[in-house]
Amino acid sequence: MSTIRNIVILTGAGVSAESGIDTFRDGGGLWEQHRVEDVATPEAFARDPELVQRFYDMRREAIQTKQPNAAHHALARLDSEWSGNLLIVTQNVDDLHERAGAKRVLHMHGEHLNAWCTACDVRSRWTGPLIDGPACPACGERALRPDVVWFGEIPYRMEEIFAALQEADLFVSIGTSGAVYPAAGFVRNARDLGVATLELNLEPSQGTLWFDEARHGPASEVVPAWVDEMLS
Ligand code: APR
């Protein structure tokens, strides 16, 4: 491990599963109760803004009742103790990484606890509902939408992510199915750059064959064990 200085970590819904937040594609997962195209697309928002706002109001409220689990805490410990570069790129829109104390976090799919004004483009921290069309704190317009990247929209801060991968010695993918691009392609970008790759997931992901190494089990077990190894 001594040759490893710079780490990029990708997390997905599996890292928050044991905190009680539904994943998307596991049995009974979020998308099994809702058709993606009905709630997580710009077209859905244009067609039925109330349905979409209600869906995200429910999610925004739900995540505030959840707590970080041992995987979040282990990653926060690694973040605070790792002297090299470290970036946690999360697909998750919950704030459990931050609530566990992680600092170097990048939300490529946005955040439930932000509202994005479609009039002035300002993003404001938002913990309440949006269904009743509240005024934007910056411009006063009643034009706030969830600050979540929907299907068909461009994930945030991709240049920063690719720059971090260029510098990385290790890419670790945690709790993601490898079903959704561009995140699902990061392991191949890493391999093309000669970066070592590790998958920590409950079960083999769709991209598991691209990883140099894969360890399977619940994140609350496999992530703390890996962090202990990295910090020993
Ligand atoms: N520990 C570790 N991994 C787990 C656990 C657990 N306790 N429980 C489930 N998993 C794994 C599943 O095996 C699966 O591979 O987490 C992964 C969850 O996959 P998805 O539900 O597809 O979630 P994710 O990969 O984050 O989805 C990516 O798709 O719907 C969009 O924007 C949404 O960010 C999301 C993106």
Side-chain angles (χ1 to χ4, degrees), residues 47-65:
R47 185 176 59 243
D48 189 348
E50 299 231 327
L51 171 77
V52 175
Q53 293 287 25
R54 254 198 310 279
F55 173 79
Y56 284 95
D57 284 355
M58 178 191 68
R59 304 287 300 152
R60 188 176 311 108
E61 186 181 12
I63 64 161
Q64 297 177 70
T65 68

Side-chain angles (χ1 to χ4, degrees), residues 12-14 18 24-26 31 91 109 176-177 180 201-203 219:
E18 291 163 91
F24 293 95
R25 292 169 186 85
D26 289 332
W31 293 145
Q91 300 171 88
H109 288 168
T176 181
S177 62
V180 172
N201 204 56
L202 187 64
E203 61 208 1

Side-chain angles (χ1 to χ4, degrees), residues 11-19 22-26 29-31 36 40 69 71 90-93 108-109 148-151 174-181 183 199-206 217-223:
T11 66
V15 83
S16 298
E18 291 163 91
S19 296
D22 282 349
T23 61
F24 293 95
R25 292 169 186 85
D26 289 332
L30 197 61
W31 293 145
V36 169
N69 65 57
T90 187
Q91 300 171 88
N92 299 339
V93 286
M108 66 180 286
H109 288 168
V148 171
V149 177
W150 286 328
F151 287 90
I174 303 175
T176 181
S177 62
V180 172
Y181 286 79
E199 171 173 88
L200 305 178
N201 204 56
L202 187 64
E203 61 208 1
S205 73
Q206 294 183 23
S220 63
E221 291 170 21
V222 296
V223 176

